[in-house]
Amino acid sequence: MVQSVEELATVCDALSNPVRVRILKLLCQKEWYVYELAKELGISRQLLYLHLKKLEKAGLVESELRLEPDDPRAKKYYRARPFRLVIDNDVIMNLEG
């Protein structure tokens, strides 16, 4: 998945916070609408958006805006992207940069 020192640092930074790991765990189980996810985690939507932005930048989650038939507002749903992260001496030695 990661090919450069910068990419590895971005992924590790995203996974360095326990709240982001909890978010990723929930998103691995199913996709969530932001309001529901914030409520489940007991954090504000603003704080959740900051965490999701970092996870999205690292390529660990993706989002989609949807219009629901019974709701005129667009809702943003998040889900985990498939990934596999293995870090060992060989991986580190073969990183670009």
Side-chain angles (χ1 to χ4, degrees):
M1 177 181 170
V2 295
Q3 297 178 356
S4 71
V5 171
E6 291 79 18
E7 287 174 334
L8 180 60
T10 300
V11 171
C12 289
D13 183 42
L15 294 173
S16 69
N17 184 293
V19 173
R20 286 193 289 273
V21 175
R22 280 190 213 102
I23 291 168
L24 190 55
K25 180 179 178 183
L26 288 170
L27 293 175
C28 283
Q29 296 167 5
K30 68 174 191 168
E31 64 180 16
W32 289 78
Y33 167 54
V34 171
Y35 175 78
E36 296 169 327
L37 188 55
K39 190 174 176 181
E40 177 74 20
L41 292 163
I43 62 175
S44 70
R45 284 181 289 176
Q46 293 81 5
L47 180 56
L48 177 59
Y49 274 120
L50 291 174
H51 287 303
L52 287 168
K53 184 178 178 182
K54 195 162 261 204
L55 289 167
E56 209 165 16
K57 181 181 176 189
L60 301 172
V61 304
E62 59 190 8
S63 62
E64 178 184 2
L65 268 179
R66 289 190 202 150
L67 288 172
E68 305 284 332
D70 57 340
D71 192 343
R73 297 170 294 161
K75 293 182 179 180
K76 197 166 196 176
Y77 286 85
Y78 285 85
R79 65 184 155 271
R81 294 185 65 204
F83 72 94
R84 179 174 171 83
L85 182 62
V86 175
I87 303 172
D88 61 14
N89 293 3
D90 291 332
V91 170
I92 298 293
M93 285 179 43
N94 291 308
L95 292 173
E96 296 173 12

